[in-house]
């Protein structure tokens, strides 16, 4: 029989006693002179192969092979002799007897070990050679599980009537309490797009547009000072719903997360169902923070202690003594505080219709019911000291949209990287982000951020003052 189609290593047990074609990377080579053992790796797993002296051509090639070379193998799938069976390995009961080897590509000796979990290697180096780093088992699992979780989430919301809609990344500033990344416009010199800190405004505009249930696996950008579990760009599972109250949004998201854990992480236990709820005040009094770690056993990597924190204050004092929002300027006050908002009184005690989902001491999601009455949203901006002119300039479109027949609405966004970090028991979000940046926001592999040419600057109407100073 001619073997023409490559099969995956995971499929080899089904082909016991047959000839197969495999392709992948040389994981390990053990040269015993007359015999060469090779471990082959592909996206589905690993298998041991042996090149026997009765195949001299194959032996000759095998002796040249090095780790990470890419090969195609024709071989027989044989059962291993009884005493060589390794029950701890997925393919430990079989062995591929190699008939021929074709080298598809050679490889330089990897700059670091990819067989380990990689935690002993400097992160800068791992990020510089991320394509190698991602070959290690742990990183493969992190990325593949990230995919499984995204897939689950997409299916869950789709079945609940949500539609995934993409929103622009080149847009106008949307305040989430951080600095914007900005992109200069070539055509409109001196003007800039802002990368979204979240799709907040667009998702509300989609409620104005009548979609009623929206979600998106959305990329967000925030220019923040270095912080361990932050990245300049990160992913949110973002959603918004019309004709709902706080309870509805909390219910559907609690259900989604519960089912996700049960389906994709069955080895994990959710500490308490339904998720316990604490008010902001209770959390602060009892735990001294608004994202309490309520685990009863902090040594158990499979314990997931979810809780909700509710009843946040709407406003807090900023550095300059004025009022700013605690979460989001678009939140509504809780209904009983609407009068205070409209009359701009008792500002410090206005409660927001805002809820955070917390897991093992991390805020993994947050959302709110929004202000769908334009006059109420305007009051929020006024309390924050925005001039009439600034409100008009920055939020005219929102006020106009709300005045166009926008239903009551609310939503939530999950910090997806943080959620994945916790589900995968990783110490930071960079371990679950395929091409992460360093804590200082650099990508050592692409060497970004980087300088651009003077021509590009001229085209954009920009001038770098440092360049001028350096006389470049
Ligand atoms: N846009 C909010 C955030 O990024 C989430 C939300 O309120 O839906 O935190």
């Amino acid at each position: 029989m001619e073997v023409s189609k490559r099969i995956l290593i995971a499929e080899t047990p089904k082909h016991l006693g047959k000839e197969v074609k495999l392709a992948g990377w040389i994981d390990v080579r053990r040269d015993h002179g007359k015999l060469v053992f090779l471990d082959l790796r592909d996206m589905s797993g690993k298998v041991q192969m042996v090149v026997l002296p009765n195949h001299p051509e194959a032996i000759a090639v095998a002796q040249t092979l090095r780790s990470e070379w890419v090969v195609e193998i024709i071989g027989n799938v044989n059962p291993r002799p009884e005493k060589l069976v390794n029950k701890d390995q997925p393919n430990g009961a079989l062995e591929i007897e190699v008939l021929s080897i074709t080298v598809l590509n050679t490889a330089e000796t990897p700059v670091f070990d990819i067989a380990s979990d990689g935690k002993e290697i400097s992160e800068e180096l791992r990020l510089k050679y991320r394509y190698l780093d991602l070959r290690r088992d742990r990183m493969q699992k992190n990325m593949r599980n990230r995919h499984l979780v995204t897939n689950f989430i997409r299916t869950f919301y789709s079945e609940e009537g949500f539609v995934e809609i993409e929103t622009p990344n080149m847009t106008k500033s949307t305040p989430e309490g951080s600095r914007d990344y900005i992109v200069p416009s070539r055509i409109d010199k001196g003007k800039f797009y802002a990368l979204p800190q979240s799709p907040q405004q667009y998702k509300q505009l989609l409620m104005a547009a009548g979609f009623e249930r929206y979600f998106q696996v959305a990329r967000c950008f925030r220019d923040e000072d270095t912080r361990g579990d932050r990245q300049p760009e990160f992913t949110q599972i973002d959603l918004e719903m019309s004709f709902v109250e706080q309870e509805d949004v909390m219910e559907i998201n609690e259900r989604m997360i519960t089912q996700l854990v049960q389906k994709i992480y069955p080895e994990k236990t959710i500490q308490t169902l339904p998720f316990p709820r604490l008010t902001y005040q209770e959390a602060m009094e009892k735990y001294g923070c608004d994202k309490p770690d309520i685990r009863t056993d902090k040594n158990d990597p499979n314990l997931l202690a979810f809780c909700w924190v509710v009843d946040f204050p709407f406003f807090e004092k900023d550095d300059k003594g004025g009022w700013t929002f605690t979460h989001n300027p678009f939140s509504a006050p809780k209904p009983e505080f609407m009068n205070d908002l409209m009359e701009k009184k008792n500002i410090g005690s206005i409660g927001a219709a805002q809820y955070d989902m917390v897991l093992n001491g991390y805020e993994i999601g947050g959302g709110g019911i929004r202000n769908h009455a334009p006059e109420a949203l305007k009051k929020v901006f006024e309390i924050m000291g925005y001039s009439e002119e600034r409100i008009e300039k920055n939020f005219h479109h929102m006020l106009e949209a709300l005045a166009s027949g926008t239903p009551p609405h609310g939503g939530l966004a999950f910090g997806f990287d943080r959620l994945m970090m916790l589900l995968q028991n990783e110490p930071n979000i960079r371990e679950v982000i395929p091409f992460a940046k360093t804590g200082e926001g650099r990508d050592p592999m692409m060497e970004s951020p980087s300088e651009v040419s003077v021509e590009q600057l001229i085209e954009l109407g920009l001038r770098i003052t440092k360049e001028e100073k350096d006389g470049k």
Side-chain angles (χ1 to χ4, degrees):
M1 181 193 85
E2 209 202 323
V3 235
S4 55
K5 198 164 165 280
R6 174 211 177 195
I7 65 160
L8 290 174
I9 288 171
E11 298 167 323
T12 45
K14 286 192 298 198
H15 295 259
L16 204 60
K18 302 216 180 81
E19 195 176 296
V20 294
K21 185 195 276 183
L22 297 168
W25 290 260
I26 299 295
D27 204 49
V28 189
R29 185 188 65 128
R30 290 179 298 278
D31 195 339
H32 291 224
K34 289 199 183 102
L35 281 184
V36 181
F37 287 97
L38 303 167
D39 287 345
L40 186 72
R41 184 182 83 234
D42 72 8
M43 69 174 192
S44 71
K46 290 179 192 174
V47 68
Q48 177 172 292
M49 310 193 294
V50 60
V51 199
L52 299 169
N54 56 346
H55 301 295
E57 274 180 32
I59 286 268
V61 182
Q63 281 167 340
T64 68
L65 297 177
R66 295 290 177 270
S67 288
E68 299 311 305
W69 284 31
V70 187
V71 294
E72 186 178 271
I73 303 280
I74 308 263
N76 288 324
V77 185
N78 294 337
R80 274 197 215 179
E82 191 72 49
K83 61 180 197 309
L84 295 181
V85 168
N86 185 340
K87 290 210 177 64
D88 300 331
Q89 282 174 1
N91 291 316
L94 54 84
E95 187 172 71
I96 309 292
E97 180 197 345
V98 176
L99 305 175
S100 76
I101 307 172
T102 311
V103 174
L104 301 177
N105 210 349
T106 59
E108 298 286 335
T109 307
V111 290
F112 46 60
D113 187 12
I114 63 164
S116 71
D117 72 6
K119 289 184 176 151
E120 74 291 358
I121 305 163
S122 106
E123 192 175 42
E124 180 91 16
L125 199 63
R126 288 180 56 208
L127 292 173
K128 183 164 170 59
Y129 297 95
R130 191 57 150 183
Y131 47 90
L132 285 178
D133 187 53
L134 286 169
R135 287 186 196 170
R136 69 182 75 256
D137 278 354
R138 180 170 65 94
M139 296 304 278
Q140 287 272 319
K141 266 192 208 110
N142 286 353
M143 298 311 138
R144 291 176 189 282
N145 280 358
R146 189 178 168 117
H147 163 73
L148 289 180
V149 173
T150 317
N151 229 6
F152 175 90
I153 290 173
R154 284 208 157 97
T155 308
F156 179 93
Y157 288 121
S158 305
E159 283 173 359
E160 293 284 336
F162 287 74
V163 29
E164 183 166 14
I165 301 180
E166 290 170 280
T167 54
N169 278 344
M170 288 168 68
T171 175
K172 194 169 173 162
S173 180
T174 190
E176 293 282 0
S178 179
R179 237 176 260 116
D180 289 325
Y181 282 102
I182 56 174
V183 179
S185 162
R186 178 182 58 82
I187 294 168
D188 245 333
K189 287 195 183 43
K191 294 200 172 157
F192 296 82
Y193 302 94
L195 302 182
Q197 293 183 35
S198 81
Q200 184 64 37
Q201 295 191 51
Y202 282 109
K203 69 173 173 176
Q204 292 194 242
L205 295 167
L206 288 169
M207 296 303 105
F211 284 97
E212 294 197 30
R213 287 182 169 213
Y214 140 96
F215 82 103
Q216 181 181 195
V217 181
R219 199 52 76 84
C220 306
F221 307 84
R222 297 184 191 180
D223 185 358
E224 280 170 306
D225 293 330
T226 319
R227 279 225 238 154
D229 67 339
R230 302 248 165 153
Q231 283 275 294
E233 55 179 303
F234 60 96
T235 304
Q236 282 189 346
I237 305 293
D238 188 47
L239 61 109
E240 197 74 7
M241 311 163 76
S242 289
F243 304 107
V244 287
E245 292 174 1
Q246 180 162 332
E247 286 302 321
D248 304 304
V249 184
M250 291 169 77
E251 186 278 326
I252 196 166
N253 288 298
E254 182 166 329
R255 185 150 51 85
M256 188 284 279
I257 287 286
T258 305
Q259 289 182 15
L260 185 164
V261 172
Q262 288 165 348
K263 174 121 190 258
I264 304 187
Y265 294 89
E267 70 282 9
K268 294 196 185 279
T269 312
I270 297 178
Q271 183 168 289
T272 315
L273 274 172
F275 299 173
R277 293 183 183 194
L278 293 103
T279 64
Y280 170 79
Q281 202 180 342
E282 281 165 355
M284 293 308 283
E285 277 166 14
K286 207 161 157 203
Y287 299 94
C289 73
D290 60 2
K291 34 182 191 293
D293 187 350
I294 61 165
R295 274 177 296 174
T296 48
D297 176 0
K298 296 206 168 88
N299 295 316
D300 179 352
N302 283 333
L303 185 63
L304 300 176
F306 291 97
C307 64
W308 288 103
V309 179
V310 296
D311 292 356
F312 285 88
F314 199 126
F315 297 99
E316 63 186 3
K317 287 279 185 188
D318 65 16
D319 314 340
K320 296 179 197 106
W323 291 110
T324 184
F325 52 90
T326 63
H327 278 75
N328 202 303
F330 302 104
S331 301
K334 296 197 79 176
E336 60 271 32
F337 296 103
M338 191 50 109
N339 270 342
D340 283 356
L341 177 75
M342 295 312 287
E343 288 166 25
K344 297 195 267 185
K345 60 175 205 216
N346 307 323
I347 293 171
S349 52
I350 295 178
Q354 177 78 39
Y355 32 84
D356 280 359
M357 194 190 283
V358 174
L359 169 58
N360 296 2
Y362 289 87
E363 184 202 321
I364 56 158
I369 297 298
R370 323 297 177 189
N371 245 332
H372 66 278
E375 35 321 330
L377 178 59
K378 212 166 160 204
K379 293 288 178 214
V380 174
F381 292 128
E382 285 171 16
I383 289 173
M384 295 194 306
Y386 288 20
S387 66
E388 189 71 24
E389 195 193 339
R390 181 169 173 195
I391 299 174
E392 264 307 297
K393 192 162 168 236
N394 293 336
F395 301 108
H396 178 75
H397 58 287
M398 284 299 283
L399 296 168
E400 236 178 17
L402 293 181
S404 72
T406 297
H409 60 282
L412 175 141
F414 288 102
F416 188 52
D417 310 292
R418 220 179 275 168
L419 174 66
M420 285 311 303
M421 166 187 98
L422 293 166
L423 291 173
Q424 292 296 114
N425 293 324
E426 288 291 0
N428 65 64
I429 59 172
R430 298 182 297 281
E431 302 294 334
V432 296
I433 295 178
F435 296 102
K437 296 189 174 54
T438 63
E440 296 80 43
R442 281 180 303 104
D443 175 345
M445 183 177 63
M446 304 293 272
E447 297 188 343
S448 77
S450 58
E451 286 164 0
V452 297
S453 69
V454 176
E455 289 74 34
Q456 269 174 303
L457 289 175
I458 292 171
E459 206 169 40
L460 293 166
L462 296 178
R463 188 186 290 156
I464 306 289
T465 47
K466 178 177 167 293
E467 294 262 29
E468 275 190 335
K469 221 173 38 213
D470 294 350
K472 281 187 202 157

